[in-house]
Amino acid sequence: MRKRRIIILAGLILTGIFGAFPARAQSDPAIRFCLAGDIMLGRGVKRMSDRNGPGYPFAATCSLTAGADITIGNLESPLTSAGFKSTSPWHFKGDTVIAALELKRAGFNMVSLANNHTLDCGIQGLFQCTGVLDLAGIAYSGLAQLM
């Protein structure tokens, strides 16, 4: 029974993510969610954004993310100018305010910071990231273990 519920829930989520979001009447009580996976705004993505404009990473999906009432994703790259503190060979970080405002423009209301790159730029990088998310009006979660 539990397995069936998980499959049904996964199907509903996928339908919400990949289905079209039709225009709805003011009286429509439904709330439309869009759940995204990893959002990586550093490395090659940043270079492409610099070349094509800051909205470039979201151009193909903005109609889905901005069309939902609530859009949540996993922010896989901290938004900071702080230097890297991680010994990992993978260095992910995105622009600060520009990236946060583009996330907001793309419709993101909330991001998860519960991932292995949150502290790539140390606690200073984390505080700068949460500060720019606050500035953009994007809620965040996933820091309980760090606080």
Side-chain angles (χ1 to χ4, degrees):
M1 186 65 169
R2 185 171 190 266
K3 187 174 181 179
R4 182 183 298 166
R5 279 187 271 176
I6 291 171
I7 291 170
I8 291 170
L9 179 59
L12 291 172
I13 290 171
L14 289 174
T15 300
I17 292 171
F18 296 113
F21 293 102
R24 59 190 181 123
Q26 292 284 67
S27 62
D28 186 353
I31 298 174
R32 290 174 174 80
F33 287 88
C34 181
L35 305 175
D38 292 351
I39 303 166
M40 216 297 281
L41 299 172
R43 296 173 34 124
V45 176
K46 182 183 177 329
R47 286 190 296 274
M48 293 297 288
S49 293
D50 289 345
R51 189 176 318 134
N52 298 300
Y56 175 77
F58 307 106
T61 59
C62 195
S63 63
L64 294 174
T65 55
D69 296 305
I70 299 172
T71 299
I72 303 169
N74 176 45
L75 186 58
E76 190 72 14
S77 50
L79 306 180
T80 182
S81 58
F84 289 103
K85 306 291 185 201
S86 171
T87 58
S88 169
W90 308 107
H91 290 174
F92 299 157
K93 71 176 181 177
D95 276 336
T96 55
V97 176
I98 292 171
L101 292 174
E102 285 304 316
L103 280 168
K104 187 65 174 184
R105 189 173 297 134
F108 285 88
N109 310 93
M110 183 176 193
V111 294
S112 171
L113 299 176
N115 63 66
N116 58 322
H117 293 287
T118 295
L119 291 174
D120 278 2
C121 298
I123 201 75
Q124 177 187 0
L126 173 62
F127 286 148
Q128 186 178 19
C129 182
T130 58
V132 297
L133 290 171
D134 286 338
L135 181 69
I138 299 173
Y140 47 87
S141 65
L143 299 179
Q145 295 287 340
L146 300 174
M147 301 300 186

